[in-house]
Amino acid sequence: MLKVGGKYMKKFLIVIIIVIAVALVGVGGYFGYLQLVKNSALQSIDERFTNIKEGNISELEKYTSIDESTSSSDKEEEEWLMKLMLKNLNYEVVSAKPKFNECEVELKVTNKNVGSAFEKMFSKLLTLSFSTDLEDMSESQLNDKLNEEFEKIYDSDDVKTETNNITVTLKREDGTWNLSGDKDEITNALLPGYSDISSELNNISE
C-alpha cells in the first residue's frame, strides 16, 4: 500500500508542477504582452513629437486647441514660425500604465515660453515703429526684418524654459494608436503661453 500511495503521490506532485508551470507561463505571457503594448504606445508618442517638432501643423492641430482660424494665412510663414517655436521642445516619460490595447502615459514636457517671446516682440515693435530705417523697406523686407527680430528674442536667455506635466491616453484601434487628452493642457505644454497671446489677439481683432 505504501508503494501504491507513493506512486500516486509522485503523479500528484507532477500534476501540481505542470499546473504551476503553465500558470507561470500564462502570467509571464500576460506581462510580456503588457510590455509590448507599452513599448508600442511610447513609440507612437515619440513619432508624434518628432512630427510636431518638425513643424507639422496638421499633426499639431489634432491634439491641441490650435486651429486654422488662429493661424497665419501664409502657410510657409506659419510653418517657419511653428518650427521656430517648437525647436526647443522636449519630453520625458514619467510613467506608463498599459492595459489591453490601451496605455495611459504621463509626460514631462519642456519648451520655451512662447507667450513671453511674443510679449517682448510687441515691445520691440513699438521701438521699431519709430525707426526711419523701416520706411524704405518693401513688404517682403519688412516681414523678413520682423521674423529676424522675433527669432533673436526667442533664442535669447530672456525667454525662459517651462516644464509642464500632462497625461494622455492612447487606444489602439484597427492597428493604429489614437491619442486623446485635454487639448488646452497639451497646448500649454507644447507652446507655453501661446493660448493667452492668441486669445488677446483675437479680442483685439474683434
Side-chain angles (χ1 to χ4, degrees):
M1 290 296 294
L2 289 175
K3 289 183 179 180
V4 173
K7 181 180 178 181
Y8 281 109
M9 180 62 71
K10 185 178 180 180
K11 287 185 177 180
F12 178 74
L13 288 174
I14 291 173
V15 171
I16 292 297
I17 290 171
I18 292 173
V19 170
I20 292 174
V22 170
L24 289 174
V25 169
V27 171
Y30 174 72
F31 283 107
Y33 169 77
L34 290 183
Q35 186 62 42
L36 289 174
V37 169
K38 176 181 174 180
N39 291 343
S40 179
L42 294 183
Q43 182 181 352
S44 176
I45 286 179
D46 192 63
E47 290 171 355
R48 284 171 166 84
F49 266 85
T50 299
N51 287 333
I52 289 172
K53 195 167 182 176
E54 290 175 350
N56 188 322
I57 296 171
S58 60
E59 187 79 8
L60 185 67
E61 290 175 348
K62 288 179 185 177
Y63 317 113
T64 66
S65 52
I66 297 171
D67 55 42
E68 292 182 358
S69 63
T70 60
S71 303
S72 169
S73 58
D74 187 334
K75 212 68 177 174
E76 186 176 337
E77 183 176 343
E78 182 182 357
E79 289 176 359
W80 173 86
L81 181 60
M82 282 299 174
K83 283 183 180 180
L84 175 66
M85 295 190 298
L86 292 164
K87 68 179 183 179
N88 295 297
L89 176 67
N90 287 294
Y91 82 96
E92 293 178 18
V93 176
V94 177
S95 65
K97 301 175 182 177
K99 300 177 184 177
F100 181 75
N101 283 338
E102 184 177 325
C103 192
E104 183 182 278
V105 184
E106 183 181 357
L107 303 170
K108 182 169 74 173
V109 184
T110 58
N111 196 8
K112 282 201 160 190
N113 191 308
V114 175
S116 173
F118 274 107
E119 288 175 355
K120 295 180 186 303
M121 184 61 187
F122 295 153
S123 298
K124 184 67 176 180
L125 286 174
L126 290 175
T127 304
L128 290 173
S129 63
F130 294 102
S131 173
T132 56
D133 296 337
L134 304 181
E135 294 178 358
D136 297 328
M137 285 186 180
S138 66
E139 183 177 346
S140 177
Q141 290 173 325
L142 179 59
N143 191 56
D144 289 343
K145 174 67 175 177
L146 295 178
N147 286 345
E148 179 186 338
E149 291 295 335
F150 183 75
E151 187 168 6
K152 284 181 182 177
I153 290 171
Y154 185 80
D155 289 338
S156 72
D157 293 335
D158 292 334
V159 179
K160 306 302 181 183
T161 297
E162 281 196 13
T163 300
N164 292 281
N165 282 32
I166 57 173
T167 299
V168 296
T169 300
L170 290 102
K171 292 185 179 180
R172 186 159 52 189
E173 299 173 350
D174 299 325
T176 302
W177 285 107
N178 296 316
L179 185 148
S180 62
D182 188 299
K183 287 193 171 187
D184 289 335
E185 288 184 1
I186 295 174
T187 302
N188 190 57
L190 298 180
L191 295 168
Y194 179 89
S195 296
D196 293 337
I197 292 295
S198 179
S199 297
E200 288 179 16
L201 291 175
N202 286 336
N203 290 336
I204 292 172
S205 62
E206 289 178 355

